Structure formats: structure tokens, C-alpha cells
């Protein structure tokens, strides 16, 4: 289930070398909730 | 967004294994009660929010289809200038939709989103949901709301098929809103190992199919771990809109913080629960001691209603779900990191903090879960 050492290094290197930009965008689950709720959310798109 | 849940009926034609509603009856909400609620919530919501979601709930909501239709017509006619701000939703078991209902839903598909509860392939769905798979017209939902996910619930009976169920739903073209059943007994030896096996299969599947949107269970926002940890803040942000951006009404028209607290769900008297609230931000000290030092506390799924149903305490979590989520978080971080690497950095190019969060979770949970393996 875990990343191996090489994969961890690649990610760390990409962060250190500024190869990953910091951009404001919606990532992951909608910020309105965590998806646990039984209610349906219209913000899913 | 203001989310209002209206229980239009307590009737249900199924008996799902994880249903948290303790009371089923033949009661329906009256149109008079519904009108009062709609007037109240829309007038309140329009002053404060950009969007109002009105969700019809049950039981099985379409067992009171006539009321749903009347409510939608009432709002469309009564608030003609606000139509764009008001949306209608329902989650259905899909088994009672006749031709007329389908026609009406099709005609209103742009204002009424009808989500389907679908727990995976036939065997899993039938196990969880009263052998109802063959009664559902899957293509109807796919055609009318192609971009909206089905709601998949995982129970102790179907955990062993989690991966197969997710893959089957994706193969049909569905996106997936997926979570573990809450408020039920997950005390089953071997569940953690079963989940890990399933997650290993899903890691490979999602990495090899990068164009498929992750099911919600595996779509963890790792940026939150890093940004909020850096703030040094000991306050947690409420996970949902319970009691503020969200409310629910039972068939008598009584208002609750969310649908989990309704009398037919919780089985507790209205006066005992009507004033329960969770602050927008609350101190970590309200949480279990084990949670307070957890790497995932900022992103851990939390159903305050389910917590209250199980423990009479909104902040106390089911620790089985806690153990599940640690494993889910690792799998999610592994998938998203591997996709990023495999696609030569083109995926997720936009968020350095997100990947910092991934590294933090991998480091902190590796140590904890490895000890967990050793103690088994």
C-alpha cells in the first residue's frame, strides 16, 4: 500500500526543485464536506 | 450553499442491512407542512446563500412522488425569479420509478438531480439492499445525470468485494461517491486485512487507469494536512454544515441539525436533539485522545450524527472507521503519487502542498501501521 523509497524520493525532489507549482485549485473532495454525509451534494461535477 | 433535507415519507420498500433509520412507517408528509417548510427555508436561504439545495428524503422518497412533484411546482411558481438558485435532489433506491416518474424526472433533469444508491455489482448490491439490483434501470440514471456519482455504501458483508464493486461501477461508466456504512457494528476480526487487500487491488487499478476519476473514498485532500498543521491551530473545522449550512425536517415538519437526528432515524425524542449543534470550529480536546495526535485528524471523515447515534457524543468516532480511514488515506496518497510519477508530472502539477501532505501521511502512518502489522 505504501510508496517505496524511490517513489518517495521522486516526489520530494520534485517539491524541492520547484517542479510542482503551487496553484490555487480545488483538489480532492469538495470543500463543502468530506463525502460521508448521506445527503447528495450538487457541487459534484 | 444551504442544504435542506425534507423527509417526505417514512415508507420504504427495502430493508438495507446498514440502514440507520430505526423507524419505518406508512406516514407521509402533508403538502401543507411541506409548503411551510419551503417558504421558511427559501426565504431564509435566499438572504444568506447563493444556492439552496432542497433534498427530498425518506424512507424511499419516491414512494411519495406526488408530494415531490407538488413541491417542485410550488417552488417554481412561487419563486420564479430565484429558479437558478434553487436545486432539487433526492437519493433513491431506484426500484419504484415507474414510467410517469421517469418521464417527469427526465423533463426536469436540469433542476432535479436524482442520485442512485448502488452498492456495486449485483451480488454485493443484493446482499446489502434486499435483492433489489434487477429492479433498477441503471441506464436511466446514466443517461440523465451522466456526470453525477452513484452512492455506494460498503458494509461488513461487502467489504471483501470493495475493489470488484468499485471497478464494476466504473466499467458501467459511473462515478462513485463511496463510504463505509456508519452507525453499524464493524467489530469484525480480519476487516483491516481484508480492506488492505482490497485497497492494493484498487491502487493498481487506478494507477493503470489514470483517466478514471477516483471514487470519493480515495479522493483525500492532502493539502489540508499540511496547511492546517502549519498554522499551529488547535481548532478543527466542522466537516459538514450540520446545524448551520444544513438542516433537516421530519414528516411532522420539525427541524433538526441534519437528517441523522430525525426522530425516525435516531429514535430519540425531538426535544432531546433539536438544539444539538457543532461549532464551525471546535477544539481538538473534544475528540478522542487517540484522534488528537493522529496525522489525519484534519481530513478524517466525520458524521456527527452517526457519532451521536452510536455514542451520544457528536465528537466521538467509531474507531473501526478510524482504522479503515488510515488505510484508505495511505492508499489514496499512493495512488495519487504514483499517477503523478507515471504521467511524468503532468497530473496534479498544480499543488505543491498537496504532495507535501502525501509525504507526511506516508511517513507518519508507515510507522504506525507497521507496528499494527507486528502486533497481529
Amino acid at each position: 500500500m505504501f510508496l517505496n523509497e524511490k517513489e518517495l524520493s521522486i516526489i520530494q525532489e520534485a517539491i524541492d526543485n520547484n517542479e510542482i507549482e503551487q496553484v490555487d485549485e480545488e483538489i480532492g473532495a469538495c470543500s463543502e464536506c468530506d463525502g460521508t454525509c448521506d445527503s447528495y451534494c450538487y457541487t459534484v461535477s | 450553499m444551504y442544504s435542506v433535507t425534507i423527509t417526505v415519507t417514512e415508507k420504504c420498500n427495502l430493508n438495507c442491512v446498514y440502514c440507520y433509520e430505526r423507524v419505518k412507517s406508512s406516514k407521509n408528509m402533508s403538502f401543507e407542512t411541506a409548503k411551510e417548510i419551503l417558504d421558511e427555508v427559501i426565504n431564509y436561504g435566499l438572504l444568506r446563500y447563493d444556492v439552496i439545495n432542497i433534498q427530498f428524503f425518506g424512507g424511499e422518497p419516491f414512494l411519495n412522488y406526488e408530494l415531490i412533484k407538488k413541491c417542485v411546482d410550488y417552488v417554481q411558481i412561487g419563486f420564479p425569479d430565484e429558479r437558478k438558485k434553487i436545486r432539487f435532489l433526492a437519493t433513491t433506491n431506484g426500484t419504484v420509478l415507474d414510467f410517469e416518474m421517469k418521464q417527469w424526472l427526465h423533463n426536469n433533469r436540469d433542476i432535479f438531480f436524482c442520485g442512485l444508491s448502488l452498492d456495486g455489482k449485483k451480488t454485493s448490491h443484493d446482499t446489502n439492499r434486499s435483492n433489489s439490483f434487477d429492479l433498477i434501470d441503471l441506464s436511466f440514471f446514466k443517461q440523465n445525470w451522466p456526470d453525477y456519482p452513484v452512492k455506494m455504501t460498503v458494509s461488513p458483508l461487502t467489504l471483501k468485494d470493495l475493489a470488484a464493486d468499485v471497478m464494476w461501477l466504473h466499467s458501467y461508466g459511473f462515478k462513485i461517491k463511496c463510504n463505509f456504512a456508519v452507525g453499524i457494528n464493524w467489530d469484525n476480526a480480519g476487516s483491516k486485512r481484508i480492506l488492505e487487500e482490497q485497497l492494493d487491488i484498487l491502487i493498481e487499478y487506478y494507477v493503470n487507469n489514470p483517466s478514471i476519476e477516483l471514487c470519493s473514498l480515495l479522493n483525500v485532500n492532502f493539502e489540508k494536512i499540511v496547511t492546517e498543521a502549519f498554522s499551529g491551530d488547535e481548532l478543527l473545522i466542522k466537516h459538514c454544515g450540520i446545524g448551520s449550512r444544513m438542516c433537516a425536517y421530519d414528516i411532522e415538519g420539525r427541524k433538526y441539525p441534519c437528517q441523522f437526528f430525525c426522530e425516525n432515524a435516531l429514535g430519540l425524542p425531538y426535544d432531546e436533539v433539536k438544539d444539538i449543534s457543532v461549532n464551525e470550529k471546535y477544539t481538538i480536546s473534544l475528540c478522542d485522545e487517540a484522534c488528537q495526535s493522529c496525522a489525519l485528524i484534519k481530513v478524517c471523515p466525520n458524521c456527527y450524527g452517526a457519532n451521536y447515534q452510536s455514542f451520544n457524543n457528536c465528537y466521538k468516532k467509531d474507531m473501526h472507521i478510524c482504522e479503515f480511514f488510515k488505510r484508505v488515506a495511505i492508499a489514496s496518497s499512493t495512488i495519487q503519487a504514483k499517477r503523478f510519477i507515471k504521467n511524468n508530472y503532468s497530473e496534479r502539477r498544480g499543488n505543491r502542498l498537496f504532495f507535501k501532505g502525501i509525504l507526511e501521511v506516508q511517513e507518519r502512518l508507515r510507522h504506525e501501521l507497521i507496528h499494527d502489522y507486528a502486533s497481529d
Side-chain angles (χ1 to χ4, degrees):
Chain A
M1 278 202 308
F2 293 89
L3 295 169
N4 59 35
E5 288 300 323
K6 183 178 174 186
E7 289 163 335
L8 291 168
S9 302
I10 291 173
I11 298 290
Q12 185 65 63
E13 222 174 275
I15 294 170
D16 293 342
N17 295 340
N18 288 323
E19 285 166 353
I20 308 175
E21 298 171 47
Q22 181 56 38
V23 174
D24 289 332
E25 62 179 269
E26 186 68 34
I27 290 180
C30 168
S31 59
E32 289 288 333
C33 75
D34 58 19
T36 312
C37 186
D38 198 37
S39 291
Y40 240 106
C41 175
Y42 199 88
T43 61
V44 174
S45 63
Chain B
M1 182 173 69
Y2 187 41
S3 294
V4 180
T5 299
I6 302 176
T7 305
V8 295
T9 183
E10 287 185 355
K11 293 181 199 172
C12 189
N13 58 322
L14 300 184
N15 188 23
C16 302
V17 298
Y18 47 69
C19 183
Y20 57 79
E21 294 187 351
R22 293 180 175 171
V23 174
K24 287 188 179 107
S25 75
S26 58
K27 294 181 189 173
N28 282 337
M29 178 180 276
S30 70
F31 183 48
E32 288 66 39
T33 300
K35 270 196 303 184
E36 284 178 19
I37 294 169
L38 291 169
D39 287 339
E40 178 185 316
V41 301
I42 292 173
N43 287 316
Y44 175 87
L46 289 175
L47 291 174
R48 294 165 178 79
Y49 299 93
D50 295 330
V51 174
I52 303 170
N53 279 348
I54 297 175
Q55 176 172 234
F56 300 104
F57 210 67
E60 164 50 47
F62 281 92
L63 287 173
N64 198 358
Y65 160 68
E66 291 300 326
L67 179 62
I68 291 175
K69 211 162 52 128
K70 277 186 178 176
C71 288
V72 173
D73 288 343
Y74 178 75
V75 172
Q76 298 283 84
I77 294 168
F79 301 89
D81 297 330
E82 312 296 346
R83 286 186 181 188
K84 287 188 180 176
K85 294 187 178 180
I86 302 170
R87 297 164 180 166
F88 304 95
L89 306 93
T91 305
T92 178
N93 62 34
T95 67
V96 302
L97 302 184
D98 60 22
F99 178 79
E100 182 192 333
M101 293 181 201
K102 286 184 185 176
Q103 197 62 46
W104 182 83
L105 284 168
H106 174 74
N107 292 341
N108 290 284
R109 64 193 183 281
D110 293 331
I111 62 164
F112 195 117
F113 166 57
C114 190
L116 174 65
S117 290
L118 185 61
D119 288 357
K121 52 185 172 44
K122 177 176 161 62
T123 48
S124 295
H125 184 89
D126 283 345
T127 295
N128 278 345
R129 300 181 67 82
S130 304
N131 296 313
S132 61
F133 185 90
D134 291 337
L135 300 175
I136 304 171
D137 181 355
L138 297 180
S139 61
F140 173 74
F141 294 91
K142 180 107 182 356
Q143 286 162 13
N144 284 283
W145 303 279
D147 292 327
Y148 287 84
V150 294
K151 185 153 196 328
M152 172 185 168
T153 304
V154 184
S155 79
L157 299 173
T158 60
L159 179 63
K160 61 180 174 47
D161 295 307
L162 170 64
D165 290 327
V166 167
M167 293 190 288
W168 185 87
L169 288 173
H170 282 315
S171 74
Y172 200 91
F174 285 124
K175 296 180 182 179
I176 308 169
K177 182 181 174 187
C178 173
N179 53 262
F180 299 107
V182 294
I184 64 165
N185 184 5
W186 276 100
D187 189 14
N188 181 14
S191 289
K192 289 188 292 190
R193 297 292 167 257
I194 292 171
L195 177 59
E196 285 159 8
E197 288 165 5
Q198 296 301 302
L199 291 173
D200 278 336
I201 298 170
L202 285 173
I203 288 170
E204 185 176 351
Y205 170 76
Y206 277 120
V207 171
N208 291 332
N209 294 279
S211 62
I212 294 179
E213 185 176 308
L214 296 178
C215 67
S216 63
L217 186 70
L218 288 167
N219 205 3
V220 178
N221 182 356
F222 294 100
E223 182 180 358
K224 276 188 182 181
I225 291 173
V226 176
T227 52
E228 294 184 26
F230 280 178
S231 71
D233 199 345
E234 288 195 346
L235 291 176
L236 285 173
I237 296 175
K238 187 166 71 174
H239 271 286
C240 67
I242 178 176
S244 54
R245 304 187 307 276
M246 179 192 294
C247 67
Y249 291 82
D250 68 10
I251 55 165
E252 309 293 345
R254 296 176 297 191
K255 187 177 178 181
Y256 298 81
C258 80
Q259 68 276 9
F260 239 106
F261 291 89
C262 288
E263 194 169 305
N264 67 308
L266 208 52
L268 292 175
Y270 176 61
D271 286 338
E272 189 175 321
V273 302
K274 65 185 171 77
D275 295 323
I276 288 174
S277 65
V278 175
N279 292 336
E280 290 300 320
K281 292 187 178 182
Y282 57 93
T283 177
I284 285 180
S285 64
L286 287 173
C287 305
D288 272 308
E289 224 172 286
C291 297
Q292 292 177 31
S293 57
C294 179
L296 300 174
I297 189 168
K298 306 288 188 180
V299 294
C300 186
N302 207 354
C303 179
Y304 302 101
N307 293 347
Y308 193 88
Q309 187 177 61
S310 298
F311 306 110
N312 272 7
N313 181 336
C314 290
Y315 305 98
K316 185 170 173 60
K317 293 178 191 172
D318 180 340
M319 299 315 281
H320 297 100
I321 301 294
C322 160
E323 289 298 319
F324 288 173
F325 186 64
K326 287 177 188 172
R327 286 148 176 86
V328 164
I330 284 294
S332 175
S333 65
T334 297
I335 290 168
Q336 299 193 74
K338 281 179 180 279
R339 275 183 164 185
F340 177 79
I341 295 169
K342 187 173 181 182
N343 293 315
N344 204 25
Y345 299 8
S346 61
E347 185 100 353
R348 289 281 188 246
R349 61 179 172 76
N351 200 314
R352 189 184 315 130
L353 292 177
F354 182 89
F355 285 95
K356 278 191 172 182
I358 283 179
L359 292 180
E360 177 155 340
V361 164
Q362 288 270 331
E363 182 186 349
R364 290 179 67 176
L365 289 187
R366 180 188 305 267
H367 175 78
E368 184 176 331
L369 292 183
I370 285 174
H371 275 264
D372 196 27
Y373 278 115
S375 66
D376 278 355

